[in-house]
Amino acid sequence: MYPLLDTINTPSELRLLERKALPKLADELRNFLVESVSSTGGHLSSNLGTVELTIALHYVFNTPYDRLVWDVGHQTYAHKVLTGRREGMKKLRMQGGVAGFPRRDESEYDAFGTAHSSTSISAALGMAVAAQLEGTDRRSVAIIGDGALSAGMAFEALNNAGAMNTNLLVVLNDNDMSISRPVGALNNYLAKLMSGRFYATARRAGEKMLGVVPPVLELAKRAEEHVKGMVTPSTLFEEFGFNYIGPIDGHDLDVLVATLSNIRHLDGPQFLHVVTRKGAGYQAAEDDPILYHGVSKFNPDTGIISKPAGKPSYTQIFGDWLCDMAALDKRLIGITPAMREGSGLVRFSQEYPDRYFDVGIAEQHAVTFAAGLACDGMKPVVAIYSTFLQRAYDQLIHDVAIQNLPVVFAIDRAGLVGADGPTHAGSFDLSYLRCVPNMTVMTPSDEDECRQMLYTAFQMNSPTAVRYPRGAGTGVTPQKEMRSLPLGRGEIRRKGEKIALLAFGSMLTPCLKAAEELNATVVNMRFVKPLDADLIESLAAEYSLLVTVEENTIIGGAGSAVAESLENKGISVPLLHLGLPDIFIDQGDPSQMLSDCGLDKTGIIKSVRLRLPA
């Protein structure tokens, strides 16, 4: 079915092909990706856009000796296929299968593990410096998208790299613009010319010769910049100290291979601007690259995506609340770091465009931007994934919490996230939030409680966080009318004997199921901070075993807060803490992952019975 692709298991075999065979390989590889992702789900648009670029990089560079460092990593499916993992794609993002992002422990071709944005240039620079110190000719290449270039970390790395005479190549995969045919052809020609050794040698010789006459050298530099400026984008990257080349067509393998071959022999920091199309070669993905960015299973012939009917997700609950709250309070501002669709802000962005701000992949800026808004009377709501809020922890403490500003953090993807694995799991937010003074931390157990907690948080005049899991809730219909919940107060949901299960957030449902067999009392704790210390004290006096259950790491989490509360009052009672273990939990089916952690009905019952006296 794939006569050429089936012969390629390693990049060394790819490099044996004649250059004229590469376009056919690209066609086969693109068709394979569509077929493969249609049966597993995953990232599609971004991977279709980098097929030719991936082939060219492995064709020109001696991988894995030369290092390819991918940014974010959601565009590396073609890379995985060409590096011996074609069969493994059948279990893409499944337990025991190929990860959706690069992982060093998966392949020697994955030079750097990643899944968050804007790390590639820093990592590749470190590798380039290591090669320089070792005295080797190894090359390091960072492949970064235009979206990832919006983060400050990328510019910090560019600034550092440009000041060093290190053999680093940064490839900008720009998929947010197009090149018209005439300009594209001219740019391709000039890029090959400017990446050639003759041009580089002539440029250095000219600088040396003209260096004795500084005014003439300055005139020559300005003339060169003027000529380049007529046919290329801004010389911003040259101001950073890079030799800028491009833009070139990222789907033209002849141009890609020729340009990369030339660049491979140039010394110093190089910057190649490559223009691609998201979803290239698959019409449905080209027409709607956002829809096909991350997809569930779909029909490759029709492009129709499988959408299982069911309960609304917590993300939808948040999006609806945000619009309802915005209608009631004109001070509400919605902020997202480039996650409009994922965080449920599409409707809000359409209905309240003047109060909607997508700041790009810049989590640190998002939080401090919110702090500035709060200083001048606005009520910002930062919609952010738990794992991405980690990137703005200093801003959360320094800019929001210390100043006690009323910023609401709507934290999506709390707990385990299934196929995206440990890089996207919200395993730590209860631990890293509850230790911050002035913070209020809430854990809704169902859809209605999520809506009411968001309203409660918005009414407060201090930093608040409402954390909720990925996917659908329990099926509780949210009440349209909004009300404030009593701050720091839990509620007993079931009365039993001897054992009290203290459930935080998503763990209420499995606790209620386990309690039927254990005849245990179940408490919906609701708040991690402030904790309901009075309720905990009364439970300690009545029950012989208190069991805390949370979808967060046990270390420093909600269970630790309960233990600290009891210790502060000098109360000694048997405690059992259930939560996520002290490991990074691999990808898989979310329900199976929770079961493996002992956080389902069966696991809770087993853990409690093991702890009870015989």
Side-chain angles (χ1 to χ4, degrees):
M1 188 174 183
Y2 301 105
L4 197 54
L5 180 61
D6 288 343
T7 67
I8 306 298
N9 294 302
T10 64
S12 59
E13 293 173 332
L14 166 65
R15 291 189 279 271
L16 295 176
L17 294 177
E18 294 185 21
R19 189 184 295 189
K20 64 183 181 181
L22 297 184
K24 177 174 172 49
L25 176 64
D27 290 340
E28 291 186 14
L29 181 51
R30 180 168 278 109
N31 290 334
F32 173 85
L33 290 178
V34 171
E35 181 185 18
S36 176
V37 176
S38 72
S39 64
T40 63
H43 291 96
L44 185 63
S45 300
S46 53
N47 283 292
L48 294 178
T50 56
V51 168
E52 288 83 3
L53 177 59
T54 303
I55 290 173
L57 286 167
H58 280 294
Y59 192 75
V60 170
F61 289 91
N62 182 25
T63 55
Y65 175 73
D66 290 333
R67 311 297 199 223
L68 300 185
V69 180
W70 300 88
D71 211 284
V72 183
H74 64 307
Q75 74 276 42
T76 54
Y77 292 2
H79 161 78
K80 287 175 181 276
V81 171
L82 294 175
T83 55
R85 287 168 277 182
R86 187 167 69 252
E87 281 299 309
M89 294 294 287
K90 294 176 181 177
K91 292 189 68 177
L92 175 70
R93 309 196 319 150
M94 301 177 193
Q95 192 168 30
V98 171
F101 305 97
R103 289 181 55 163
R104 281 172 52 82
D105 60 0
E106 186 177 283
S107 171
E108 62 179 334
Y109 292 93
D110 291 357
F112 194 74
T114 185
H116 287 191
S117 163
S118 315
T119 62
S120 61
I121 304 175
S122 298
L125 177 59
M127 295 173 187
V129 169
Q132 188 176 50
L133 293 173
E134 293 168 358
T136 69
D137 63 349
R138 188 174 67 239
R139 296 286 164 150
S140 297
V141 183
I143 306 99
I144 185 169
D146 51 336
L149 205 61
S150 66
M153 184 176 178
F155 283 93
E156 291 173 14
L158 286 171
N159 186 54
N160 188 202
M164 304 170 69
N165 187 29
T166 308
N167 295 331
L168 170 69
L169 168 60
V170 175
V171 177
L172 171 60
N173 173 31
D174 180 353
N175 52 37
D176 199 34
M177 61 173 284
S178 60
I179 307 174
S180 60
R181 289 182 183 274
V183 177
L186 179 60
N187 277 337
N188 289 338
Y189 173 75
L190 287 169
K192 284 192 286 186
L193 179 67
M194 289 190 289
S195 65
R197 301 185 77 174
F198 173 78
Y199 175 85
T201 302
R203 188 174 187 270
R204 287 194 298 270
E207 287 180 352
K208 184 176 181 180
M209 180 180 68
L210 296 174
V212 296
V213 190
V216 179
L217 174 60
E218 182 63 24
L219 177 63
K221 283 184 175 179
R222 291 191 178 190
E224 180 190 39
E225 288 175 2
H226 178 68
V227 172
K228 277 190 173 184
M230 289 191 296
V231 292
T232 65
S234 166
T235 56
L236 168 67
F237 302 107
E238 293 200 335
E239 294 297 328
F240 273 112
F242 282 77
N243 177 40
Y244 174 90
I245 300 162
I248 64 172
D249 185 349
H251 301 293
D252 188 326
L253 274 160
D254 286 337
V255 171
L256 280 169
V257 170
T259 304
L260 287 169
S261 296
N262 285 336
I263 292 174
R264 194 179 186 282
H265 299 288
L266 297 181
D267 293 329
Q270 309 293 322
F271 192 100
L272 175 62
H273 185 170
V274 176
V275 176
T276 62
R277 295 188 314 280
K278 273 190 173 182
Y282 185 60
Q283 195 61 50
E286 284 193 40
D287 292 342
D288 197 339
I290 293 176
L291 178 64
Y292 286 85
H293 171 73
V295 293
S296 54
K297 297 178 182 180
F298 65 95
N299 185 320
D301 297 324
T302 64
I304 297 175
I305 300 171
S306 303
K307 292 184 178 180
K311 300 164 287 192
S313 67
Y314 278 103
T315 303
Q316 291 174 268
I317 299 299
F318 163 72
D320 291 341
W321 168 83
L322 192 68
C323 291
D324 292 345
M325 195 70 241
L328 297 175
D329 195 325
K330 293 182 179 180
R331 297 175 299 164
L332 186 148
I333 305 292
I335 302 168
T336 178
M339 295 302 296
R340 184 184 72 154
E341 289 75 20
S343 292
L345 275 75
V346 173
R347 181 184 153 205
F348 178 83
S349 69
Q350 295 166 346
E351 295 184 7
Y352 299 97
D354 293 341
R355 290 192 268 161
Y356 164 74
F357 295 93
D358 181 346
V359 301
I361 303 176
E363 295 88 354
Q364 293 172 306
H365 165 61
V367 173
T368 304
F369 173 55
L373 285 163
C375 282
D376 275 6
M378 297 294 105
K379 296 281 285 190
V381 178
V382 179
I384 192 167
Y385 289 7
S386 171
T387 186
F388 296 158
L389 184 56
Q390 296 165 182
R391 296 164 65 97
Y393 192 53
D394 178 62
Q395 286 69 30
L396 184 147
I397 295 174
H398 183 273
D399 300 336
V400 175
I402 288 179
Q403 302 185 96
N404 201 26
L405 295 171
V407 176
V408 176
F409 293 94
I411 304 175
D412 204 332
R413 271 60 167 184
L416 301 178
V417 292
D420 283 338
T423 56
H424 283 62
S427 305
F428 312 108
D429 54 80
L430 294 184
S431 301
Y432 71 67
L433 287 172
R434 77 173 191 86
C435 63
V436 179
N438 293 330
M439 284 295 301
T440 296
V441 184
M442 311 182 203
T443 57
S445 61
D446 61 40
E447 297 91 328
D448 182 59
E449 200 164 68
C450 184
R451 181 176 171 89
Q452 308 313 330
M453 284 185 174
L454 287 164
Y455 179 78
T456 304
F458 191 79
Q459 302 309 310
M460 296 180 64
N461 199 36
S462 57
T464 55
V466 180
R467 60 102 74 172
Y468 43 90
R470 181 179 191 172
T474 60
V476 174
T477 302
Q479 298 300 305
K480 185 70 175 176
E481 182 181 353
M482 292 181 281
R483 65 191 187 279
S484 289
L485 300 177
L487 188 63
R489 289 288 177 261
E491 60 172 1
I492 295 176
R493 293 288 295 268
R494 183 191 189 278
K495 286 291 290 185
E497 299 177 351
K498 296 182 180 179
I499 305 159
L501 304 179
L502 282 64
F504 291 87
S506 60
M507 291 293 97
L508 178 62
T509 298
C511 282
L512 286 170
K513 293 177 180 177
E516 292 297 322
E517 194 165 328
L518 294 168
N519 189 23
T521 286
V522 178
V523 182
N524 177 18
M525 292 301 296
R526 287 180 166 171
F527 292 84
V528 175
K529 186 178 183 181
L531 203 60
D532 195 337
D534 293 338
L535 178 56
I536 293 169
E537 183 178 3
S538 67
L539 293 169
E542 185 176 353
Y543 297 94
S544 57
L545 176 65
L546 302 187
V547 184
T548 64
V549 191
E550 61 189 301
E551 195 175 345
N552 184 85
T553 181
I554 293 175
I555 298 176
S560 294
V562 172
E564 291 161 12
S565 177
L566 291 168
E567 174 66 23
N568 287 338
K569 295 193 174 187
I571 299 172
S572 179
V573 63
L575 277 174
L576 173 61
H577 299 310
L578 302 182
L580 302 181
D582 186 26
I583 59 172
F584 289 108
I585 300 168
D586 215 342
Q587 66 200 30
D589 176 76
S591 59
Q592 183 60 51
M593 295 168 76
L594 288 171
S595 177
D596 292 343
C597 294
L599 294 177
D600 59 353
K601 170 189 171 182
T602 302
I604 293 169
I605 292 171
K606 181 179 179 181
S607 296
V608 170
R609 285 181 171 163
L610 284 173
R611 186 62 180 270
L612 290 173

